[in-house]
Amino acid sequence: MRTAVNWNDYIILDTSDGEKLEKWGDISLVRPDPQIIWKTERKNSVWLNADGYYHRSNQGGGKWEFRKRLPEKWTISYGNLTFNIRPTGFKHTGLFPEQAVNWDFMAEKIKNAGREINVLNLFAYTGGATLACADAGASVCHVDASKGMVQWARDNAESSGLSDRPVRWIVDDCEKFIAREIRRGRKYDAVIMDPPSYGRGPGGEVWKLENCIYDLVKLCSGVLSDNPLFFLINSYTAGLSPSVMGYILGSILSEKFGGSVSFDEIGLPVKSTGMVLPCGSTAIWQK
């Protein structure tokens, strides 16, 4: 497992019975996690007085209980990057800390490329990968269908001192945007995607990642330059293994561009036990 071990402002203190106890800077939160099926003893006293506790509902969703008045938002940093954190109605905070292991990979590839790199970041959320690539010197096209998430990403760029970097902020459906980029003849040296597990199209059609991922990667291969640097897929879909994503990347890209494919789970260390909590899967094609 590839583990995000370089955080100073974020830590998982403990895990037990479907929940994780985290510190986001100085603020402690308890959030649900379906991977945590063990029921170990909760020895850390912070469990009892965490600043925020997300209660999952049996009917789906849930709600926050705050045990003290929290700021509307606060910041945490990872290296040169600064992120605005705030609890949302869907248990999330606007950042997936395990992705830092992918940010480190991208930044190293870009810095060592010896040339200008143009990156396409799809389903780009609040911009962790966008900021990492921009900070490493790349030009980035950041695409997400949510106007609110794109604005959040722009706020993160401003907090990180990266507002002047060459980033295009696009609010659009990712597949439609890719199709237009192909027609325009625009090319990218790297593609990043973190597509949702499930969704509905504008006509109400059901979109399931397992059924659509191959065609999506095939479509994205049409915007790659003649000498691409990497193509990274991240997924939180339980039914889509990292090896399957790796096979898809290899079958579409390796015959044309050569290179190599790797795939694995990504995770975060847990302070109380020394274990690593699995947090998703990533497959990478690279030259």
Side-chain angles (χ1 to χ4, degrees), residues 9-62:
D9 285 359
Y10 172 85
I11 189 172
I12 298 179
L13 297 173
D14 198 9
T15 58
S16 180
D17 197 13
E19 295 178 324
K20 55 189 174 185
L21 174 63
E22 311 164 291
K23 289 290 292 290
W24 297 80
D26 295 328
I27 294 175
S28 55
L29 301 177
V30 176
R31 296 191 298 154
D33 191 309
Q35 295 276 17
I36 302 169
I37 62 174
W38 49 91
K39 300 179 181 180
T40 47
E41 183 180 357
R42 300 186 176 195
K43 297 180 180 180
N44 193 313
S45 62
V46 181
W47 281 108
L48 300 175
N49 56 11
D51 300 320
Y53 197 115
Y54 188 87
H55 298 276
R56 185 178 290 281
S57 168
N58 293 331
Q59 285 74 44

Side-chain angles (χ1 to χ4, degrees), residues 2 102 105 230-232 249 260-262 282-286:
R2 298 168 60 234
N102 287 330
F105 162 80
F230 65 85
F231 194 124
L232 184 148
L249 285 179
S260 61
V261 175
S262 59
T282 300
I284 301 170
W285 173 90
Q286 61 180 307

Side-chain angles (χ1 to χ4, degrees), residues 233-247:
I233 307 173
N234 191 78
S235 171
Y236 293 96
T237 303
L240 188 61
S241 73
S243 57
V244 168
M245 294 193 297
Y247 180 77

Side-chain angles (χ1 to χ4, degrees), residues 18 23-25 35 60 98 104 117 121-122 137 142 146 150 161 168 175 177 208 232 238 240 250 255:
K23 289 290 292 290
W24 297 80
Q35 295 276 17
E98 64 274 8
D104 291 344
I117 299 297
N121 186 15
L122 301 169
H142 174 110
S146 168
V150 173
R168 297 167 62 207
E175 290 188 70
F177 178 79
K208 290 185 69 175
L232 184 148
L240 188 61
E255 182 175 348

